[in-house]
Amino acid sequence: MSAIGSESTLNLPACPEIGNRAVAAIHAAYDRYHGGFEEITRRARERFERRDWRGAQADATERLALYRTHVDGAVADVRDILQDAVMERTLWAAMRGRHALGARGRPDAELAQTFFNSVTRRVFSTVGVDAAIEYLAPSPGPAEPGGPPLHDRERVETVDSEVIRRILERFEWSVPYASLRRDASIVARIITEAVDRLPATGPVEIDVVRSVFYRNKGAYLVGRVRRGAAVLPLVIPLLRAERGIVVDAALLSPNEASIVFGFSWSYFRVDVPRPRELIEFLSSIMPLKRIDELYNAIGYNKHGKTELYRNLMTYLELPEARFAFAEGDEGMVMAVFTLPAFNLVFKIIKDSFGAPKNTTRQAVMDKYHFVFVRDRVGRLADAQEFEHLEFPRRCFPEDLLAYLLSVAAETVRVEGDQVIVRHVYTERRVTPLNIFLRDAEPGAAREAVIEYGNAIKDLAAADIFTGDMLLKNFGITRNGRVICYDYDELCLLSECRFRRIPAPTTIEEEFAAEPWFFVGEQDVFPEEFRAFLVPPGEVRDGFLEAHGDLLDIEFWHRVQRRLAQGDVVDVFPYRRSALLRRA
Ligand SMILES: Nc1ncnc2c1ncn2[C@@H]1O[C@H](COP(=O)(O)OP(=O)(O)OP(=O)(O)O)[C@@H](O)[C@H]1O
Ligand SMILES: [Mg+2]
């Protein structure tokens, strides 16, 4: 797949001196980005060991800003060096060839190539992809022989506590395990039970990645268990208790692993010299996850975008590829469409918004950015922002195209047989909760609304108030988790003013259609939630039984008090093991 790079170095004219200097500046900017990324990532272990949760949160946010900063720096450098020649495409074509030479030997070549693309796209405001000056298929360099292995391997006849102890002890923490012997024997038991359910027999191999995955208050060991042809994921979440490090669970099903690596959690901090090798490992235990989602999960979301884009474009070449309207209620702010065969929605900000929305395009983008940099606590879908995409027109049914042109003409235009989209967010597609409940069996409906309440509460604990708490703004994943995807009314919960509805003092007040008392921007009346959280019926009864406290102003005030104390809450992306958990 490195054909693009080598082809360009072979066929293109030699790069002039200023081009070489510009390429050197791009490599240097990438090195600064990656150096910064690794430095922050490496802090994760110490943050965990010291229980410095605020520091960990600050690191996560700081790391997200790095890419932009260093691409900006590279663009400025390149403009300085190239001056009037900055828009000469033949020069850039030669520069790409030169850049490929430098990137080729890197263990993170695909990331360096994506970085080069980001710079060219910014300089040229490229629409679609410019094959002459961008890498079409950034790809990793050849595996470096002799580097440290990605994972260790244990090969045993039976999984006993000794093996697990060895595995756990291989990680050199500065803090001891609180109860290594006990935890190891319980994990061994959980693994043995899972392995015994496999059809295969014979020795068991356990591979465990040497790098630890950190997120919020958790540290995760990630590996796989293999017997014969059968492979199980192995995810071991660790917590830093007061007493030391404790094992909190042992997850061995693809669904559980997949939730830990899901798109509604913030990105992991994991120090890996050769990202592609890790991605391939993760893919071997979560075959249903797309490669781009795995890159996102480890913090390389820009490269995730490259992978997604390439994947998408290849798919759209199929004669049957068609976009479609997204299922569910039309948004007032966003025009949403999907690719049915691809688990993805595309969200475009409309040109104008009907009442009662009084927001602006910039304010909507700010909300999406707010979600991007915050801890998403497993309840907010990750949205990737794309600019200047170009899709084949034949992939749009006429009514969808007419709709997009009528509500978002500032963003969508047709040029010949292409549809050009100036700005769009992509998100994983989920089933809108209102649609799910319409067709669900009573038991499934009940579980879903209970999950909906859990989602509202998890978000609240993380200082997020979703504003539009309506079923149509939440969706359910294939694993049954409920997440929110509508961000234009999201705000900090600590900034909301939760109020009781004042008692009317006159007949006019009592029967007034509109509130007769002043309602400020930040005012929220929890008593009113009853009317719209869940439609009346049995399902609502179940919801109120589990989450009736949401209607009580005291619930919200309590959360606000906890937030004011500065507690960093964590939400666990797995069921905590009852066996491992202490009273
Ligand atoms: N990630 C997603 N998966 C599936 N469907 C989605 C997703 N995001 C949005 N939708 C669909 O698109 C519709 C509009 O999206 P969204 O709620 O984000 O827009 P909005 O304009 O902000 O809505 P509102 O008018 O409620 O403010 C949703 O009601 C839902 O049916
Ligand atoms: Mg909505």
Side-chain angles (χ1 to χ4, degrees):
M1 290 299 271
S2 57
I4 304 279
S6 35
E7 172 196 312
S8 53
T9 51
L10 293 176
N11 300 342
L12 288 166
C15 189
E17 175 52 23
I18 51 166
N20 287 345
R21 278 174 39 221
V23 168
I26 296 173
H27 276 304
Y30 175 76
D31 284 337
R32 283 193 295 274
Y33 153 70
H34 209 245
F37 187 96
E38 289 187 322
E39 188 190 317
I40 295 176
T41 302
R42 288 200 188 112
R43 276 185 226 148
R45 172 177 146 186
E46 202 179 314
R47 301 280 192 208
F48 175 74
E49 289 172 339
R50 295 184 172 197
R51 313 182 83 216
D52 177 6
W53 312 130
R54 293 194 158 275
Q57 267 185 345
D59 284 351
T61 309
E62 188 187 337
R63 201 180 70 168
L64 288 170
L66 284 180
Y67 195 86
R68 178 75 193 257
T69 307
H70 292 290
V71 169
D72 285 352
V75 170
D77 291 350
V78 162
R79 288 205 167 113
D80 261 5
I81 295 167
L82 299 182
Q83 300 280 333
D84 292 347
V86 72
M87 298 300 275
E88 279 180 22
R89 290 177 71 251
T90 45
L91 172 62
W92 277 87
M95 279 167 55
R96 187 193 61 185
R98 180 79 199 178
H99 184 270
L101 277 182
R104 193 185 276 164
R106 302 189 64 118
D108 54 355
E110 78 277 31
L111 308 183
Q113 293 170 5
T114 282
F115 189 87
F116 180 87
N117 283 358
S118 299
V119 176
T120 69
R121 296 184 63 79
R122 181 78 70 71
V123 169
F124 288 91
S125 296
T126 310
V127 172
V129 159
D130 189 337
I133 61 175
E134 275 180 64
Y135 293 94
L136 288 188
S139 46
E144 221 182 327
L150 176 73
H151 59 80
D152 291 303
R153 173 167 294 175
E154 293 283 345
R155 191 181 158 85
V156 289
E157 289 304 318
T158 48
V159 180
D160 58 18
S161 66
E162 263 318 295
V163 184
I164 305 301
R165 250 178 86 161
R166 253 200 323 272
I167 290 174
L168 293 174
E169 280 183 324
R170 220 174 268 134
F171 295 88
E172 292 171 359
W173 308 105
S174 68
V175 182
Y177 287 102
S179 28
L180 182 61
R181 194 185 299 264
R182 174 181 177 278
D183 288 358
S185 93
I186 298 172
V187 170
R189 207 158 91 209
I190 297 173
I191 296 179
T192 304
E193 278 165 18
V195 167
D196 285 347
R197 283 195 294 271
L198 293 175
T201 53
V204 179
E205 278 177 2
I206 306 180
D207 295 337
V208 178
V209 175
R210 290 186 165 188
S211 312
V212 179
F213 292 64
Y214 296 93
R215 184 172 60 206
N216 301 340
K217 293 182 181 174
Y220 299 78
L221 308 183
V222 175
R224 66 186 164 211
V225 178
R226 210 198 306 247
R227 180 178 245 175
V231 182
L232 294 174
L234 172 64
V235 177
I236 303 182
L238 306 175
L239 296 182
R240 170 67 170 94
E242 304 253 353
R243 304 170 290 120
I245 295 173
V246 296
V247 179
D248 203 35
L251 316 175
L252 285 127
S253 75
N255 271 357
E256 287 172 307
S258 180
I259 292 174
V260 171
F261 281 85
F263 60 94
S264 57
W265 303 92
S266 302
Y267 306 146
F268 278 115
R269 276 163 289 137
V270 51
D271 188 21
V272 273
R274 296 178 303 280
R276 187 65 188 203
E277 196 185 357
L278 177 66
I279 295 295
E280 279 161 12
F281 185 95
L282 294 174
S283 186
S284 77
I285 56 173
M286 291 172 277
L288 291 181
K289 281 227 184 288
R290 290 194 315 260
I291 295 298
D292 59 284
E293 295 181 295
L294 293 171
Y295 271 108
N296 292 349
I298 62 167
Y300 294 120
N301 55 305
K302 293 294 172 183
H303 186 66
K305 276 175 63 177
T306 310
E307 294 280 341
L308 173 60
Y309 181 79
R310 184 159 32 125
N311 211 334
L312 201 58
M313 289 303 148
T314 309
Y315 176 79
L316 291 177
E317 281 169 16
L318 297 176
E320 69 272 20
R322 285 288 175 286
F323 293 108
F325 283 96
E327 235 191 338
D329 288 13
E330 184 190 346
M332 280 195 271
V333 174
M334 307 300 268
V336 185
F337 61 100
T338 177
L339 255 183
F342 227 79
N343 239 336
L344 211 61
V345 292
F346 299 81
K347 306 178 77 165
I348 294 175
I349 303 176
K350 291 181 173 181
D351 295 340
S352 58
F353 322 124
K357 298 276 181 188
N358 61 351
T359 183
T360 61
R361 156 178 285 273
Q362 188 55 49
V364 173
M365 288 172 66
D366 291 347
K367 296 286 180 174
Y368 275 74
H369 186 72
F370 168 85
V371 169
F372 177 66
V373 295
R374 271 195 87 78
D375 178 9
R376 288 187 291 280
V377 295
R379 298 298 187 178
L380 297 170
D382 186 21
Q384 301 298 332
E385 192 173 11
F386 284 88
E387 284 178 306
H388 311 303
L389 291 187
E390 196 177 39
F391 297 121
R393 179 180 176 155
R394 63 168 177 77
C395 297
F396 288 85
E398 280 308 314
D399 55 349
L400 174 60
L401 187 56
Y403 167 74
L404 294 175
L405 291 172
S406 74
V407 299
E410 287 172 21
T411 306
V412 181
R413 65 179 200 277
V414 176
E415 274 183 18
D417 52 8
Q418 297 293 323
V419 173
I420 296 169
V421 178
R422 192 162 59 83
H423 182 266
V424 61
Y425 296 103
T426 60
E427 263 171 28
R428 254 293 284 277
R429 186 180 57 210
V430 290
T431 309
L433 212 45
N434 54 333
I435 305 293
F436 180 84
L437 292 177
R438 199 184 56 195
D439 309 324
E441 302 289 327
R446 191 187 149 91
E447 265 177 48
V449 293
I450 290 178
E451 254 289 285
Y452 169 50
N454 292 339
I456 294 173
K457 287 179 175 171
D458 283 350
L459 287 165
D463 201 6
I464 291 173
F465 186 68
T466 55
D468 253 355
M469 286 198 298
L470 297 169
L471 293 172
K472 65 171 183 166
N473 292 330
F474 288 74
I476 184 158
T477 69
R478 76 189 158 79
N479 287 314
R481 281 185 63 79
V482 169
I483 55 124
C484 169
Y485 49 66
D486 183 342
Y487 303 150
D488 63 87
E489 301 208 7
L490 220 69
C491 59
L492 288 175
L493 187 123
S494 46
E495 291 178 359
C496 296
R497 203 156 71 108
F498 292 96
R499 294 179 59 193
R500 287 204 171 79
I501 300 173
T505 51
T506 65
I507 294 278
E508 289 76 19
E509 283 179 357
E510 188 165 353
F511 293 102
E514 296 291 321
W516 47 270
F517 45 90
F518 174 75
V519 178
E521 273 281 296
Q522 253 91 35
D523 287 358
V524 182
F525 299 90
E527 293 156 76
E528 288 186 333
F529 295 170
R530 176 184 292 271
F532 60 81
L533 274 179
V534 178
E538 247 174 65
V539 173
R540 175 155 89 179
D541 298 343
F543 174 80
L544 289 178
E545 219 172 275
H547 296 299
D549 48 353
L550 289 174
L551 310 183
D552 181 359
I553 194 165
E554 248 322 296
F555 167 84
W556 300 95
H557 283 162
R558 218 172 25 247
V559 177
Q560 285 186 320
R561 281 196 297 275
R562 211 172 321 133
L563 290 168
Q565 285 163 8
D567 291 354
V568 176
V569 290
D570 200 2
V571 175
F572 301 97
Y574 53 88
R575 193 189 296 277
R576 305 181 69 187
S577 162
L579 287 175
L580 284 156
R581 219 171 152 185
R582 288 121 195 109

